[in-house]
Amino acid sequence: MSGKSVVDIAVLGGGPGGYASALAAARLKASVTLVEYETLGGTCLNVGCIPTKALNRCAQAYQDTIKAGMYGVHADNVKLDFQKAMKFKNQTVNQLTGGVQYLLNANKVNILKGKGRLISNSSILVTKDDGSTEEVVAKNIIIATGSKEIEIHGFPIDGRNVINSTHALALSELPKKLAIIGGGVIGVEFASIFRRMGAEVSIVELSPSLIPNEDEETREALKWSLEENGIRIYTNCVAQSYEKCGIDGGMSLKIEQKDGSHVKIECDKILVCVGRKASVEEIGFSELGGDIKKGRIVTDNSMKTNLDGVYAVGDVTMSEQLAHVAYQEARTAVLNIMGKAYEIDYSAVPHCIYSSPEIGSVGMNEQLARKICSGAAVAKSSFQGNGKALIEGQGDGYVKVIYNKEDGRILGGSILGSKATELIAQLALAVNKKLSVMDVIKTIHAHPTLSEAVGEACLAAIGLELHG
């Protein structure tokens, strides 16, 4: 049994890029059908950004309670109830996915459950769970099919011994010993969460450093902090194989170091976090002549593909795989479809790592700035001189501003420390609007706040820092 519907815009995929596209289009009075075969919210809301940050909050609350004695608050026998932490995570996810469903319904977006495939640049064939099909004909199509986790040779994901991030977010018990393959953002965040919850954690990273795209000084400072908190880090190492040990479910992960020597890591679970790849298969785009490079859909800065009337947003494109990028791309695509010329600007994308301590960065890092700008300079402010940071017991870390000393323009920044993922918004605005250190200095920062450290770093650029 099949049917056909006609709308202004059809959106393929219900993750951040997809539901944001559908809502934006509906609010601009377009008729919209959203096609999704799994749960609304995509990876970010269901098995990515939101659940990991919910567990991150649980881990931090546990540590805050343990350390509350410094404030004169004493608690005996502090324990982490892992099942209750997972319940909190689930409740948070359910509330937010329910909210997305409500917003789509309230804005009269037609949600079509099933697997969609482009059969032309103006129609999507949707196969439903019962085998029936429906063709959605649209003036414009937005592809937002997201991404999926990459698997590596020798470590097939079985959901029990070798797991991916989705499995890690559904564990019924806290692993006693966890080995993580991959020292990028996802691996570092999971390491930080499970270590603070009480697990023994090891990270194995192929590159010479963790989070290799981040500012060199900042990533080295994070590595030092993670190791200080008991996380074992093996960089320049290759995960080769694993074997089960005994009847208690234990395993041994064999890794090869740069010098050719081998190390065995005892663990209960192996978590593979080596990145994500765009979901471009089986959606019909390439079969229609759609341009794909390095496994991702090519678009221009208005999010148009080479197929007339077809746009793409989010993880499936050539841009960075971040939910906030997907949101902006969704708005960009819809504005262009609705006749309002608009191009996305990727020059000031904030990067956030919810480790302990956090990292927030934007624009050029120090290494890149010094390569391409002869006047590149650095100014810093330590949280050790920030009253609010000391009150909160978070004096470790700093704000680092990269600027052009010839005109003072802020080129980028890196923040390591408490609330870094919140504070980076100030520097993101500065980079986006091409502000100078003097523009930030002229802005009065409230006292006592962590945000003062951003102003202090800019003051340091002209030698007028107050607490440096």
Side-chain angles (χ1 to χ4, degrees), residues 391-425:
I391 290 167
E392 294 186 353
Q394 301 288 342
D396 293 337
Y398 54 80
V399 174
K400 179 178 184 178
V401 174
I402 298 98
Y403 66 101
N404 184 347
K405 60 186 176 185
E406 294 176 3
D407 59 9
R409 178 181 164 185
I410 296 173
L411 304 174
S414 183
I415 304 176
L416 174 77
S418 178
K419 305 295 191 298
T421 58
E422 303 287 343
L423 297 174
I424 198 61

Side-chain angles (χ1 to χ4, degrees), residues 103-410:
L103 287 171
L104 292 168
N105 291 340
N107 285 277
K108 297 181 173 56
V109 174
N110 176 43
I111 302 171
L112 190 55
K113 182 84 171 179
K115 289 191 174 183
R117 179 183 179 86
L118 275 70
I119 54 175
S120 77
N121 62 347
S122 61
S123 59
I124 298 173
L125 184 66
V126 181
T127 303
K128 303 176 185 178
D129 288 342
D130 62 5
S132 65
T133 60
E134 180 173 337
E135 183 181 352
V136 181
V137 178
K139 297 175 184 176
N140 290 277
I141 292 173
I142 299 175
I143 300 172
T145 46
S147 62
K148 54 190 175 184
E149 290 169 299
I150 296 173
E151 294 190 26
I152 55 175
H153 178 72
F155 294 88
I157 305 298
D158 60 21
R160 299 182 305 278
N161 301 306
V162 182
I163 63 176
N164 58 26
S165 61
T166 299
H167 299 124
L169 291 167
L171 291 171
S172 58
E173 294 181 356
L174 178 69
K176 293 180 180 179
K177 298 179 180 180
L178 178 67
I180 300 175
I181 301 176
V185 174
I186 299 172
V188 165
E189 288 188 355
F190 272 113
S192 192
I193 289 168
F194 284 114
R195 178 58 191 150
R196 280 177 291 156
M197 285 184 168
E200 292 183 24
V201 179
S202 301
I203 300 175
V204 180
E205 169 57 38
L206 181 64
S207 300
S209 64
L210 300 179
I211 49 173
N213 293 328
E214 283 296 325
D215 178 86
E216 183 178 342
E217 180 184 16
T218 302
R219 69 185 184 226
E220 287 303 313
L222 176 65
K223 179 176 182 287
W224 178 87
S225 181
L226 294 176
E227 288 179 326
E228 280 289 294
N229 284 289
I231 296 175
R232 292 187 293 273
I233 298 174
Y234 302 87
T235 54
N236 262 325
C237 291
V238 179
Q240 289 191 319
S241 61
Y242 75 96
E243 60 183 4
K244 297 180 183 178
C245 303
I247 59 174
D248 60 354
M251 294 185 293
S252 176
L253 170 64
K254 181 183 178 182
I255 66 174
E256 182 178 356
Q257 301 187 101
K258 187 178 181 180
D259 62 5
S261 62
H262 294 88
V263 173
K264 288 190 174 182
I265 301 171
E266 303 304 315
C267 56
D268 304 317
K269 303 280 186 187
I270 297 172
L271 171 58
V272 178
C273 295
V274 293
R276 303 183 65 84
K277 62 180 180 179
S279 297
V280 295
E281 302 93 348
E282 301 180 356
I283 62 171
F285 180 76
S286 61
E287 289 83 348
L288 295 174
D291 190 5
I292 293 177
K293 290 183 180 177
K294 297 181 179 179
R296 297 190 184 189
I297 294 177
V298 178
T299 71
D300 61 17
N301 283 346
S302 65
M303 308 319 301
K304 292 178 183 176
T305 72
N306 66 314
L307 300 183
D308 289 341
V310 179
Y311 294 70
V313 302
D315 285 5
V316 77
T317 71
M318 301 288 287
S319 63
E320 296 182 85
Q321 294 178 326
L322 298 167
H324 44 283
V325 171
Y327 289 144
Q328 188 75 343
E329 290 178 340
R331 289 185 283 268
T332 300
V334 171
L335 285 170
N336 281 283
I337 289 172
M338 302 303 289
K340 301 177 181 181
Y342 183 82
E343 289 194 349
I344 191 167
D345 178 5
Y346 294 108
S347 64
V349 176
H351 301 93
C352 299
I353 303 176
Y354 296 82
S355 50
S356 180
E358 292 183 353
I359 290 178
S361 62
V362 69
M364 299 183 196
N365 61 32
E366 181 181 351
Q367 293 70 49
L368 178 60
R370 292 194 185 280
K371 280 184 181 179
I372 66 176
C373 178
S374 60
V378 170
K380 291 175 65 177
S381 173
S382 170
F383 282 118
Q384 286 289 348
N386 181 276
K388 186 66 180 296
L390 295 182
I391 290 167
E392 294 186 353
Q394 301 288 342
D396 293 337
Y398 54 80
V399 174
K400 179 178 184 178
V401 174
I402 298 98
Y403 66 101
N404 184 347
K405 60 186 176 185
E406 294 176 3
D407 59 9
R409 178 181 164 185
I410 296 173

Side-chain angles (χ1 to χ4, degrees), residues 75-94:
D76 297 325
N77 301 316
V78 178
K79 296 179 182 178
L80 174 75
D81 186 332
F82 187 72
Q83 285 74 27
K84 205 159 190 177
M86 296 298 273
K87 182 179 179 181
F88 169 75
K89 180 265 297 181
N90 292 335
Q91 289 172 336
T92 304
V93 169
N94 291 338

